[in-house]
Amino acid sequence: MSRQNEHIDTLLKSCMQGKQSAQLEVYNRYHKAMYNTALRIVKHTAEAEDVMQESFLNAFTKLHTFKGDVTFGAWLKRIVINNSIYHYNKQQKKRTADLDDVMYKVEDNDGVASDQNGYTELKAQKVMETMKSLKDNYRVSLTLHLIEGYDYEEISEIMNISYANCRTMISRAKQSLRKKLTVNV
């Protein structure tokens, strides 16, 4: 076991005893990486900060469930990713009406978008909306791969599946997404 792993184990024990200085140290070590993870999914700085803070609170209150099968950082990142995806989906439901308004405006212009960036954004939103209809494991694996930028090895660790299973799942998820997008066109 490395010195850093020993140190984090000591910190985590102190956190479980409610020592705020240990919690602050853990927060200082991981907050930048966890913020970046949340930001890549939710796309807004304030929302990413909220998700990150909520994730740290979840982690500290559920620290007794951390078994040490993976590193603490990987365990914390899984909490952040799950909270981010949940938050993102919740926000997308609120924005559905806005998307309908935008689609209506585009149709008013004979289906031609006057702003290429707006058109690209609509296509991206369509992909994100379609991704929500995928099976959960497909949606999560694709989100981690395409949005988060994780490689297969990292995803297999985060999702606690084999490398081969991860590659197959992402391939099938992409295939399913393509099929759903072509049906909706």
Side-chain angles (χ1 to χ4, degrees):
M1 184 184 288
S2 74
R3 171 171 272 183
Q4 190 170 4
N5 284 347
E6 287 177 23
H7 187 61
I8 193 68
D9 288 342
T10 306
L11 277 174
L12 295 177
K13 286 177 185 168
S14 296
C15 288
M16 283 195 274
Q17 295 169 354
K19 293 188 179 172
Q20 289 182 348
S21 60
Q23 291 175 342
L24 181 60
E25 173 125 7
V26 169
Y27 176 84
N28 286 335
R29 275 192 191 189
Y30 292 98
H31 81 279
K32 288 179 186 171
M34 298 308 135
Y35 169 79
N36 289 332
T37 298
L39 183 62
R40 278 186 233 125
I41 295 174
V42 300
K43 301 288 187 208
H44 297 284
T45 56
E47 292 172 12
E49 280 208 23
D50 289 346
V51 167
M52 179 197 60
Q53 296 289 342
E54 181 182 324
S55 298
F56 271 101
L57 287 173
N58 289 350
F60 288 138
T61 56
K62 297 186 190 293
L63 199 52
H64 63 279
T65 65
F66 175 62
K67 302 207 182 338
D69 299 342
V70 295
T71 64
F72 174 75
W75 182 76
L76 180 60
K77 187 173 274 193
R78 186 177 300 160
I79 292 171
V80 171
I81 289 168
N82 290 341
N83 284 345
S84 297
I85 291 169
Y86 173 78
H87 183 79
Y88 179 81
N89 287 337
K90 195 166 82 173
Q91 291 304 103
Q92 285 304 103
K93 286 180 184 174
K94 289 180 183 176
R95 293 181 183 137
T96 302
D98 297 337
L99 180 61
D100 291 341
D101 291 343
V102 171
M103 297 280 267
Y104 178 73
K105 289 176 187 171
V106 169
E107 289 174 4
D108 281 350
N109 293 330
D110 298 325
V112 178
S114 58
D115 178 359
Q116 186 62 32
N117 289 338
Y119 183 70
T120 304
E121 192 173 305
L122 275 177
K123 287 172 81 176
Q125 284 180 336
K126 177 129 178 89
V127 170
M128 295 304 291
E129 286 293 318
T130 306
M131 278 180 66
K132 288 178 10 182
S133 69
L134 295 175
K135 292 186 340 184
D136 285 345
N137 57 342
Y138 283 5
R139 181 179 46 78
V140 170
S141 62
L142 262 188
T143 300
L144 291 173
H145 187 62
L146 299 176
I147 296 173
E148 266 293 305
Y150 285 106
D151 62 25
Y152 297 125
E153 244 177 76
E154 293 170 317
I155 295 169
S156 62
E157 183 180 319
I158 289 169
M159 294 183 72
N160 201 20
I161 57 176
S162 71
Y163 180 83
N165 191 7
C166 178
R167 286 183 58 102
T168 302
M169 183 185 309
I170 290 173
S171 175
R172 289 179 181 165
K174 285 178 181 177
Q175 189 176 32
S176 179
L177 181 63
R178 276 189 214 102
K179 187 176 178 181
K180 286 179 183 275
L181 285 170
T182 56
V183 168
N184 292 333
V185 172

